[in-house]
Coordinates of all heavy atoms in Angstrom, one line a residue:
V1 N 209.5 127.7 124.4 CA 210.7 126.9 123.9 C 210.3 126.0 122.7 O 210.9 125.8 121.7 CB 211.3 126.1 125.0 CG1 212.4 125.1 124.5 CG2 212.0 127.0 126.0
R2 N 209.1 125.2 123.1 CA 208.6 124.2 122.1 C 208.3 124.9 120.6 O 208.3 124.3 119.6 CB 207.5 123.6 122.6 CG 207.7 122.4 123.6 CD 206.5 121.9 124.3 NE 206.8 120.6 125.1 CZ 206.1 120.2 126.0 NH1 205.0 120.8 126.3 NH2 206.4 119.2 126.7
S3 N 207.9 126.1 120.8 CA 207.4 126.9 119.4 C 208.6 127.3 118.8 O 208.5 127.9 117.7 CB 206.5 128.0 119.9 OG 207.2 129.1 120.5
G4 N 209.9 127.2 119.2 CA 211.0 127.7 118.6 C 211.4 129.0 118.8 O 212.1 129.6 118.0
E5 N 210.8 129.8 119.7 CA 211.1 131.2 120.0 C 212.5 131.4 120.5 O 212.9 132.5 120.5 CB 210.0 131.7 121.0 CG 208.6 131.8 120.5 CD 207.7 132.2 121.5 OE1 208.1 133.0 122.4 OE2 206.4 131.9 121.3
N6 N 213.2 130.4 121.1 CA 214.6 130.5 121.6 C 214.6 131.7 122.7 O 215.5 132.6 122.6 CB 215.6 130.9 120.5 CG 216.0 129.6 119.8 OD1 215.4 128.5 120.0 ND2 216.6 129.9 118.6
P7 N 213.7 131.7 123.7 CA 213.7 132.8 124.7 C 214.9 132.6 125.6 O 215.5 131.6 125.8 CB 212.3 132.4 125.5 CG 212.3 130.9 125.3 CD 212.7 130.7 123.9
D8 N 215.4 133.8 126.1 CA 216.3 133.8 127.1 C 215.5 133.8 128.5 O 214.9 134.7 128.9 CB 217.2 135.0 127.0 CG 218.2 134.9 125.9 OD1 218.7 133.9 125.6 OD2 218.4 136.1 125.2
L9 N 215.7 132.8 129.2 CA 214.9 132.5 130.5 C 215.8 132.6 131.7 O 216.8 131.9 131.7 CB 214.3 131.1 130.4 CG 213.2 131.0 129.2 CD1 212.9 129.6 129.2 CD2 212.1 131.9 129.3
T10 N 215.3 133.3 132.7 CA 215.9 133.2 134.1 C 215.6 131.8 134.8 O 214.6 131.3 134.4 CB 215.6 134.3 134.8 OG1 214.3 134.3 135.1 CG2 215.9 135.6 134.1
T11 N 216.3 131.7 135.9 CA 215.9 130.6 136.7 C 214.5 130.6 137.1 O 213.7 129.7 137.0 CB 216.9 130.6 137.9 OG1 218.2 130.3 137.5 CG2 216.5 129.4 138.9
R12 N 214.1 131.7 137.5 CA 212.8 132.0 138.1 C 211.7 131.7 137.0 O 210.6 131.3 137.3 CB 212.6 133.4 138.7 CG 211.3 133.7 139.5 CD 211.3 134.9 140.1 NE 212.4 135.2 141.0 CZ 212.3 134.9 142.3 NH1 211.2 134.2 142.8 NH2 213.4 135.1 143.1
Q13 N 212.0 132.1 135.8 CA 211.1 132.1 134.7 C 210.9 130.6 134.2 O 209.9 130.2 133.5 CB 211.5 132.8 133.5 CG 211.4 134.4 133.7 CD 212.0 135.2 132.6 OE1 213.1 134.7 132.1 NE2 211.4 136.2 132.3
K14 N 211.8 129.6 134.5 CA 211.7 128.2 134.0 C 211.0 127.3 135.0 O 210.3 126.4 134.5 CB 213.1 127.7 133.9 CG 213.8 128.3 132.6 CD 215.0 127.6 132.1 CE 216.2 127.8 133.2 NZ 217.4 127.1 132.7
H15 N 211.2 127.5 136.3 CA 210.5 126.5 137.3 C 210.0 127.3 138.4 O 210.3 128.3 138.8 CB 211.5 125.6 137.8 CG 212.1 124.6 136.8 ND1 213.3 125.1 136.0 CD2 211.8 123.5 136.2 CE1 213.6 124.0 135.3 NE2 212.7 123.1 135.4
T16 N 208.8 126.6 139.0 CA 208.4 127.1 140.3 C 208.6 125.9 141.3 O 208.9 124.8 140.8 CB 206.9 127.5 140.2 OG1 206.1 126.2 139.8 CG2 206.5 128.6 139.4
R17 N 208.5 126.2 142.5 CA 208.7 125.2 143.5 C 207.5 125.3 144.5 O 207.0 126.2 144.9 CB 210.0 125.3 144.3 CG 211.2 125.3 143.4 CD 212.5 125.1 144.2 NE 213.7 124.9 143.3 CZ 213.9 123.9 142.8 NH1 213.4 122.7 142.9 NH2 215.1 123.8 141.9
E18 N 207.0 123.9 144.9 CA 205.8 123.8 145.7 C 206.1 123.0 146.9 O 206.7 121.8 146.6 CB 204.6 123.3 144.9 CG 203.2 123.4 145.7 CD 202.1 123.1 144.8 OE1 202.3 122.6 143.6 OE2 201.0 123.3 145.2
C19 N 206.0 123.4 148.1 CA 206.4 122.7 149.2 C 205.2 122.3 150.1 O 204.2 123.2 150.3 CB 207.2 123.5 150.2 SG 208.8 124.2 149.3
F20 N 205.1 121.0 150.5 CA 204.2 120.6 151.5 C 204.8 120.2 152.8 O 205.7 119.3 152.8 CB 203.3 119.4 150.9 CG 202.5 119.9 149.6 CD1 203.2 119.7 148.3 CD2 201.3 120.1 149.7 CE1 202.5 120.1 147.3 CE2 200.5 120.4 148.6 CZ 201.2 120.5 147.5
V21 N 204.5 120.9 153.8 CA 205.2 120.9 155.0 C 204.2 120.4 156.2 O 203.2 121.0 156.4 CB 205.8 122.4 155.3 CG1 206.5 122.3 156.7 CG2 206.6 122.7 154.2
V22 N 204.7 119.6 157.0 CA 204.3 119.3 158.2 C 205.1 120.0 159.5 O 206.2 119.6 159.6 CB 204.1 117.6 158.5 CG1 203.6 117.3 159.9 CG2 203.7 117.0 157.4
A23 N 204.3 120.8 160.1 CA 205.0 121.6 161.1 C 204.7 121.0 162.5 O 203.6 120.5 162.8 CB 204.5 123.2 161.1
A24 N 205.7 121.2 163.4 CA 205.6 120.9 164.9 C 204.4 121.7 165.4 O 204.2 122.7 165.1 CB 206.8 120.9 165.5
E25 N 203.8 121.0 166.5 CA 202.8 121.7 167.2 C 203.3 123.0 167.7 O 204.3 122.9 168.5 CB 202.1 120.9 168.3 CG 201.0 121.3 168.9 CD 200.2 120.5 169.8 OE1 200.7 119.2 169.9 OE2 199.3 120.9 170.6
G26 N 202.6 124.0 167.6 CA 203.0 125.4 168.1 C 204.3 126.1 167.4 O 204.7 127.1 167.7
A27 N 204.7 125.5 166.3 CA 205.7 126.1 165.5 C 205.2 127.3 164.9 O 204.1 127.4 164.5 CB 206.3 125.1 164.4
D28 N 206.2 128.3 164.6 CA 205.8 129.6 163.9 C 205.9 129.3 162.4 O 206.9 129.2 161.7 CB 207.0 130.6 164.3 CG 206.6 132.1 163.9 OD1 205.8 132.1 162.8 OD2 207.2 132.9 164.4
K29 N 204.7 129.1 161.9 CA 204.5 128.8 160.5 C 205.0 129.9 159.5 O 205.5 129.7 158.5 CB 203.2 128.4 160.2 CG 202.7 127.1 160.7 CD 201.2 126.6 160.4 CE 200.8 125.4 161.1 NZ 199.4 125.1 160.7
A30 N 204.8 131.2 160.0 CA 205.2 132.3 159.1 C 206.7 132.3 159.1 O 207.3 132.5 158.0 CB 204.6 133.6 159.8
K31 N 207.4 132.0 160.1 CA 208.8 132.0 160.3 C 209.4 130.8 159.3 O 210.4 130.9 158.6 CB 209.4 131.7 161.6 CG 210.8 131.7 161.9 CD 211.2 131.8 163.3 CE 212.7 131.8 163.5 NZ 213.3 130.6 163.0
I32 N 208.7 129.6 159.3 CA 209.1 128.5 158.6 C 209.1 128.8 157.1 O 209.8 128.6 156.4 CB 208.2 127.3 159.0 CG1 208.7 126.8 160.3 CG2 208.5 126.2 157.7 CD1 207.7 125.7 160.9
E33 N 207.9 129.4 156.7 CA 207.6 129.8 155.3 C 208.6 130.8 154.8 O 209.2 130.5 153.8 CB 206.2 130.3 155.1 CG 205.9 130.7 153.7 CD 204.4 131.1 153.7 OE1 203.7 131.1 154.6 OE2 204.2 131.6 152.4
A34 N 208.9 131.7 155.6 CA 210.0 132.9 155.3 C 211.3 132.1 155.2 O 212.1 132.4 154.2 CB 210.0 133.9 156.3
E35 N 211.7 131.3 156.0 CA 212.9 130.6 156.0 C 213.1 129.7 154.7 O 214.2 129.7 154.1 CB 213.3 129.7 157.2 CG 214.6 129.2 157.3 CD 215.1 128.7 158.6 OE1 214.2 128.9 159.7 OE2 216.1 127.9 158.7
I36 N 212.2 129.0 154.4 CA 212.1 128.2 153.1 C 212.2 129.0 151.9 O 213.1 128.9 151.0 CB 210.8 127.3 153.1 CG1 210.9 126.3 154.1 CG2 210.7 126.5 151.7 CD1 209.6 125.4 154.3
K37 N 211.3 130.0 151.8 CA 211.3 130.9 150.6 C 212.6 131.6 150.4 O 212.9 132.0 149.2 CB 210.2 131.9 150.6 CG 208.7 131.2 150.5 CD 207.6 132.2 150.5 CE 206.3 131.6 150.1 NZ 205.2 132.6 150.0
N38 N 213.3 131.9 151.5 CA 214.6 132.8 151.3 C 215.9 131.8 151.4 O 217.0 132.3 151.4 CB 214.6 133.7 152.3 CG 213.6 134.9 152.2 OD1 213.6 135.6 151.2 ND2 212.5 134.9 153.1
M39 N 215.7 130.6 151.4 CA 216.8 129.7 151.4 C 217.7 129.7 150.1 O 217.3 129.5 149.1 CB 216.4 128.3 151.7 CG 217.5 127.2 152.0 SD 216.8 125.4 152.3 CE 215.7 125.8 153.5
P40 N 219.1 130.2 150.4 CA 220.0 130.3 149.2 C 220.2 128.9 148.6 O 220.3 128.0 149.3 CB 221.1 130.9 149.8 CG 221.1 130.7 151.2 CD 219.7 130.7 151.6
N41 N 220.4 128.9 147.3 CA 220.6 127.8 146.5 C 219.6 126.7 146.4 O 219.7 125.9 145.5 CB 221.9 127.0 147.1 CG 223.1 127.9 147.1 OD1 223.4 128.7 146.2 ND2 223.8 127.8 148.2
Y42 N 218.4 127.0 147.1 CA 217.4 126.1 147.0 C 216.1 126.7 146.5 O 215.5 126.2 145.5 CB 217.1 125.4 148.3 CG 218.2 124.3 148.6 CD1 219.3 124.6 149.3 CD2 217.9 123.0 148.2 CE1 220.2 123.6 149.6 CE2 218.9 122.0 148.5 CZ 220.0 122.4 149.1 OH 221.0 121.3 149.5
F43 N 215.8 127.8 147.2 CA 214.4 128.4 146.9 C 214.4 129.9 146.6 O 213.4 130.4 146.1 CB 213.4 128.2 148.1 CG 213.2 126.7 148.4 CD1 213.9 126.0 149.4 CD2 212.3 126.0 147.7 CE1 213.6 124.7 149.7 CE2 212.0 124.6 147.9 CZ 212.7 124.0 148.8
A44 N 215.5 130.6 147.0 CA 215.6 132.1 146.9 C 215.3 132.5 145.6 O 214.8 133.6 145.2 CB 216.8 132.6 147.5
D45 N 215.8 131.8 144.6 CA 215.6 132.2 143.1 C 214.4 131.8 142.3 O 214.4 131.9 141.1 CB 216.9 131.7 142.4 CG 218.2 132.3 142.9 OD1 218.3 133.4 143.3 OD2 219.3 131.5 142.8
Y46 N 213.5 131.2 143.2 CA 212.2 130.7 142.5 C 211.0 131.4 143.0 O 211.0 131.7 144.4 CB 212.2 129.1 142.7 CG 213.4 128.4 142.1 CD1 214.6 128.2 142.7 CD2 213.3 127.9 140.7 CE1 215.6 127.5 142.3 CE2 214.4 127.2 140.2 CZ 215.6 127.1 140.9 OH 216.5 126.4 140.3

């Protein structure tokens, strides 16, 4: 964008999201990660 290329960018191409999570003892971390990554309107498009 700064170079003046005027690219057409999707939501995924513009931003990434990084989460730092404190899980409860014994919680299913794989399930938590999948739920976060697939959360509509928040993370699914990134």
Side-chain angles (χ1 to χ4, degrees):
V1 170
R2 283 175 169 157
S3 69
E5 294 177 18
N6 288 353
D8 289 318
L9 298 170
T10 65
T11 296
R12 189 178 299 274
Q13 289 173 321
K14 288 193 291 186
H15 296 92
T16 61
R17 298 195 179 277
E18 191 168 15
C19 305
F20 293 86
V21 176
V22 179
E25 186 175 350
D28 186 338
K29 293 181 179 178
K31 182 173 180 291
I32 291 172
E33 181 173 356
E35 186 170 343
I36 291 172
K37 288 184 173 182
N38 293 295
M39 192 182 298
N41 302 319
Y42 286 91
F43 299 101
D45 294 331
Y46 300 85

